[in-house]
Amino acid sequence: MTDVAFYDFVRGPLLRFALFVFFLGIAYRFFRVLFLGLPPDYAKPKGNPYLMAVKKIVIKPTMGWTFNEIFSRRAINFIGGFLFHLGFIGLTFFVPAHALLWKEITGIPFPVLPNIVSDILAYAALGSLIALTMHRALNPVLKLLTGKDEYFANFLIAMILFTGLLATRWAGGGSYIWLLSLHMFLADLLILYIPFSRLSHFVYYFLSVGFMGWNAGKRGVSF
Amino acid sequence: MAVLSKEEIGQEEVEKFYQFCKKSIDMEVASYLEACVRCGICAEACLFYMGENVSGRIDPTLTPAYKADLLREIYKENYTLLGRLKKLFGFGVKIKPEELKEQARLAFYTCTNCDRCTKACPMGIDTPRLVSIVRGALTHAGLTPKDLADATNLSVEKGSPLGVDTQTFLQRLEFISDEYEVNIPIDRKPSEYLYIPSSIELMKFPSSVASAAKVLNRAGVSWSMSTVAHEATNFGLFAQSREVTREMLRRVLQGAKDLGVKYIIAPECGHAYQSMRFIAPNVFPEEWDFEVLNIVELIDRMLTEGRLRLKGKVLKETATLHDSCQIGRRGGVLREPRRILKELAEDFRDSVLIPEHNICCGGGGGVLVIGDADYYRQKAFISKMTLFDKTKARTVVCYCANCMLALTKSSQELKRDYRFVSMVELVAEALEEET
Ligand code: SF4
Ligand code: SF4
């Protein structure tokens, strides 16, 4: 019964441990930056900094297209990035199997995506991840900026998507439980890895984009 | 207070650089350093990178994110758990003296603090803020580029980066009054408005100063220039030397206080506006009690209030607008120049859909005075040209004398025939037709 024992382990204690580390780590990283504090600013703002900060946080991800010439040169970043994030969030929380798991853990019922939508999301996320990774490897600017961190993260996420698809769509049958366990094991690893890597950018998004909006409001510019 | 430009770089300089970077971290800076996802989109926004790219060369080191990478490393090993552990085990940042030269190239030669990358970055990272820290650290270590250091020191010693002292200032004003037949009040007490020109205008574009005087006279405000606060540009910001910034602002404060003014009018100069509008209140929180307006802002206000009237459109040919980054994108004066230009030009074609997207002149942030940066400035100008050419305009209206100087220079070097004109001058021209 090793397969079931492993399955239970990755779905139970390991997942709980990973989540614990995740929240602790993320909170630590967030508050560590927050506690650095800010010097006071006595210059009279020209617009409304706070409103702008909130506005930017809400609409920034949809504003890439306004820089049309950058958008056209980096369509792969914008479209791939958008699809990937959409897929990643959609799949993580709203795929039937995942929604069930989150309900078990949090007690809150999660809305469930229809199968066809989760399939589209999964293929879109996997496809864009592969495209983005190739772009990283080939574009001279990205080559300079990319470290091992990015490749490891991309590989790990791709494997999670791949094993998820393998288990539920492509293989099935006898190896199902092993594939599923592997899928969950890798997901646990990812959850553990996030606070130690640049994948935790999602918390800093609120700070850095917030500051950008705050500055825009201070200077009275609208973009 | 002098800013140094050492030739020899040793361990002492490295240490000073390191400590300055370490001390400059606050919540905002740390957020930017942490948030970068290494997507490289900012490269496509930076005029230096674009300019190289258009001419067929790709220089990835011109990517904005890369310009802050050493600072990021220093941040990590001092403020993050993993970084500290690495340092403990001997894998910390080791800066070789040559690397500081490279940092000077990145921070002083290939960034004008234009802020365009901030707008394009999906994480909203304010690269100019980070580059300014690197500049400050280099200046702290005595490694300011020679040309910039000289001009900065001259501004402390003589009162202006072009060496304009009070006597020269008075002589120039006398010349301007005579030549352009305009009355310029000097040290008139009490005055409501203090207008401070930049020495670039005074020496190279005297008609800008005359035009500003004409506009102020026509608006019927009580205004004056000052022999104490006679330089608006602040080279302390280019070198990122806090002492110099403070000293230059102290003179402005002194002059404004002496005349008892309520408003300070910044001229057509980006860093002048930036330093007086956004930095001075933090340098002198107790004493700085003035409303700072850019001359373009003031003109727009006077036009709306009906205190100034323009008669007809003086600019007949197709024209486009060049925005000053420090007054526009980083200063919030973007709608005003457009409103004014629509009144002035028969065929005004904006080169950008969103004013905040305009491209820098390539010579801002002190890049213009650094001879070694000429190559980059010219390349940056190529990016700028693509925007001009899109509108098919040969006449470009500017509202910053430094931009105008940089654009004129690059344009001559690359043998282009654009004509650059000052907005205030156009306004003054349109006024004259009224009588
Ligand atoms: S665009 Fe922003 S997040 Fe992307 S590499 Fe540049 S600074 Fe980093
Ligand atoms: S501020 Fe302007 S010049 Fe500097 S890195 Fe950003 S886009 Fe380039």
Side-chain angles (χ1 to χ4, degrees):
Chain A
M1 286 304 274
T2 47
D3 48 357
V4 177
F6 185 62
Y7 173 84
D8 285 343
F9 173 68
V10 293
R11 200 174 190 274
L14 188 60
L15 178 61
R16 266 168 234 279
F17 173 71
L19 285 172
F20 180 73
V21 173
F22 173 84
F23 282 113
L24 210 69
I26 287 294
Y28 165 73
R29 289 193 70 166
F30 187 70
F31 286 109
R32 187 193 65 216
V33 170
L34 220 60
F35 286 142
L36 287 171
L38 274 182
D41 188 357
Y42 299 103
K44 215 171 100 224
K46 294 182 112 179
N48 187 336
Y50 295 99
L51 198 73
M52 244 347 218
V54 175
K55 186 176 150 193
K56 280 287 153 196
I57 290 174
V58 177
I59 66 166
K60 184 87 175 91
T62 64
M63 295 306 279
W65 63 272
T66 60
F67 259 107
N68 41 24
E69 84 286 358
I70 299 180
F71 191 90
S72 63
R73 267 182 301 220
R74 284 298 179 84
I76 190 162
N77 275 109
F78 286 103
I79 298 173
F82 187 76
L83 283 179
F84 171 74
H85 282 88
L86 196 73
F88 187 80
I89 296 167
L91 293 169
T92 308
F93 297 104
F94 310 115
V95 165
H98 294 168
L100 217 71
L101 185 65
W102 294 122
K103 192 182 167 210
E104 244 173 63
I105 294 173
T106 62
I108 308 163
F110 276 65
V112 171
L113 286 174
N115 270 336
I116 174 81
V117 179
S118 8
D119 277 3
I120 293 174
L121 285 184
Y123 288 119
L126 189 59
S128 31
L129 191 61
I130 292 170
L132 286 169
T133 312
M134 279 170 62
H135 190 214
R136 264 203 192 283
L138 298 174
N139 180 297
V141 168
L142 288 166
K143 260 202 253 176
L144 179 73
L145 295 181
T146 306
K148 292 187 208 83
D149 194 21
E150 277 76 25
Y151 286 122
F152 180 68
N154 286 13
F155 178 71
L156 192 56
I157 298 171
M159 286 313 289
I160 293 169
L161 285 165
F162 182 67
T163 48
L165 278 169
L166 209 58
T168 55
R169 293 287 176 272
W170 301 338
S175 49
Y176 178 75
I177 195 155
W178 278 113
L179 285 173
L180 200 62
S181 305
L182 182 62
H183 172 71
M184 288 193 300
F185 174 70
L186 292 173
D188 290 345
L189 268 189
L190 178 70
I191 297 171
L192 272 173
Y193 180 61
I194 289 173
F196 298 99
S197 70
R198 252 195 282 280
L199 293 174
S200 44
H201 64 272
F202 69 93
V203 273
Y204 295 120
Y205 171 85
F206 295 96
L207 285 173
S208 67
V209 173
F211 274 121
M212 182 224 178
W214 192 81
N215 281 324
K218 186 175 99 183
R219 294 168 186 149
V221 292
S222 55
F223 192 82
Chain B
M1 189 181 299
V3 169
L4 302 178
S5 181
K6 298 183 195 164
E7 292 279 327
E8 293 290 307
I9 309 177
Q11 217 39 52
E12 188 197 333
E13 284 72 33
V14 170
E15 188 54 27
K16 278 188 163 169
F17 176 89
Y18 186 94
Q19 291 304 333
F20 187 97
C21 289
K22 187 176 156 187
K23 270 201 222 107
S24 303
I25 307 293
D26 63 22
M27 191 208 298
E28 185 180 355
V29 175
S31 314
Y32 296 146
L33 291 171
E34 289 275 9
C36 180
V37 289
R38 321 304 279 168
C39 67
I41 287 172
C42 47
E44 307 290 346
C46 179
L47 69 167
F48 290 98
Y49 174 84
M50 279 191 292
E52 278 282 35
N53 205 351
V54 171
S55 35
R57 269 196 45 190
I58 290 182
D59 182 352
T61 64
L62 298 179
T63 307
Y66 182 73
K67 295 172 189 170
D69 269 1
L70 186 56
L71 176 64
R72 199 183 327 270
E73 294 302 314
I74 295 174
Y75 159 76
K76 276 194 193 153
E77 72 169 30
N78 286 291
Y79 295 89
T80 73
L81 214 57
L82 285 180
R84 284 205 198 116
L85 279 177
K86 263 194 194 165
K87 193 179 175 188
L88 200 69
F89 289 108
F91 297 106
V93 183
K94 290 182 193 66
I95 307 172
K96 291 193 211 87
E98 312 86 80
E99 281 174 56
L100 290 190
K101 281 210 177 112
E102 174 67 356
Q103 288 296 310
R105 181 180 77 94
L106 297 177
F108 279 112
Y109 299 5
T110 70
C111 177
T112 56
N113 279 3
C114 80
D115 209 20
R116 196 167 188 262
C117 49
T118 311
K119 306 296 176 192
C121 169
M123 301 297 281
I125 291 164
D126 193 339
T127 300
R129 174 81 196 269
L130 305 178
V131 166
S132 295
I133 294 176
V134 178
R135 282 188 174 202
L138 288 164
T139 293
H140 181 66
L143 301 175
T144 318
K146 174 116 185 27
D147 299 334
L148 183 60
D150 290 348
T152 309
N153 293 332
L154 207 56
S155 69
V156 177
E157 276 160 39
K158 295 238 173 154
S160 125
L162 295 184
V164 177
D165 54 13
T166 314
Q167 203 192 349
T168 323
F169 175 71
L170 287 170
Q171 280 166 359
R172 281 306 278 179
L173 286 190
E174 203 184 315
F175 161 78
I176 292 170
S177 301
D178 287 350
E179 180 76 18
Y180 299 92
E181 294 173 1
V182 57
N183 181 27
I184 301 179
I186 301 167
D187 289 338
R188 182 163 69 188
K189 263 187 257 188
S191 288
E192 204 182 345
Y193 290 79
L194 165 64
Y195 168 72
I196 316 175
S198 77
S199 49
I200 297 185
E201 294 172 289
L202 214 55
M203 303 310 284
K204 307 216 155 118
F205 304 110
S207 61
S208 275
V209 180
S211 304
K214 281 179 193 166
V215 168
L216 288 164
N217 285 338
R218 179 62 63 85
V221 293
S222 113
W223 72 283
S224 177
M225 288 203 203
S226 156
T227 45
V228 180
H230 68 74
E231 173 59 274
T233 299
N234 198 324
F235 266 53
L237 285 184
F238 293 162
Q240 281 293 315
S241 150
R242 287 197 195 125
E243 295 78 30
V244 177
T245 308
R246 190 186 173 87
E247 172 56 21
M248 297 309 286
L249 282 171
R250 192 195 58 72
R251 293 172 193 175
V252 174
L253 176 70
Q254 189 62 47
K257 266 186 167 172
D258 286 353
L259 301 182
V261 298
K262 218 171 123 197
Y263 299 94
I264 298 179
I265 308 300
E268 291 184 291
C269 169
H271 274 75
Y273 181 63
Q274 197 59 225
S275 71
M276 295 196 267
R277 177 64 180 82
F278 295 107
I279 293 173
N282 293 317
V283 179
F284 304 105
E286 305 286 323
E287 294 161 279
W288 193 269
D289 189 20
F290 314 104
E291 189 177 340
V292 177
L293 292 171
N294 184 268
I295 181 90
V296 175
E297 241 176 332
L298 180 80
I299 291 174
D300 181 63
R301 202 181 267 193
M302 298 278 173
L303 284 172
T304 332
E305 288 173 5
R307 292 170 76 174
L308 278 180
R309 266 192 299 274
L310 305 177
K311 214 175 202 180
K313 307 197 166 183
V314 283
L315 201 58
K316 306 291 177 204
E317 68 267 30
T318 302
T320 187
L321 178 70
H322 167 73
D323 284 295
S324 151
C325 306
Q326 303 300 324
I327 302 174
R329 186 164 35 234
R330 264 174 113 72
V333 186
L334 283 161
R335 273 80 202 163
E336 291 86 343
R338 283 173 173 75
R339 274 201 293 266
I340 299 173
L341 198 52
K342 277 185 197 133
E343 301 288 317
L344 291 171
E346 282 187 358
D347 184 17
F348 163 45
R349 298 188 196 162
D350 211 338
S351 59
V352 278
L353 278 176
I354 297 177
E356 283 87 349
H357 287 184
N358 215 338
I359 293 182
C360 167
C361 64
V367 171
L368 177 60
V369 297
I370 303 171
D372 289 343
D374 281 356
Y375 172 82
Y376 298 105
R377 173 173 50 76
Q378 289 164 7
K379 281 292 150 74
F381 183 70
I382 296 178
S383 322
K384 184 74 236 191
M385 267 167 33
T386 56
L387 280 194
F388 292 157
D389 293 346
K390 215 167 75 184
T391 66
K392 301 212 164 51
R394 307 314 284 173
T395 300
V396 181
V397 180
C398 309
Y399 50 96
C400 169
N402 189 66
C403 293
M404 233 159 83
L405 197 62
L407 291 170
T408 310
K409 203 169 169 206
S410 307
S411 167
Q412 277 164 4
E413 285 160 354
L414 299 185
K415 303 197 172 49
R416 303 290 138 157
D417 61 346
Y418 306 107
R419 185 170 82 95
F420 301 100
V421 284
S422 130
M423 175 165 281
V424 179
E425 220 176 304
L426 282 179
V427 173
E429 221 180 295
L431 286 179
E432 272 171 359
E433 288 192 353
E434 201 182 44
T435 46

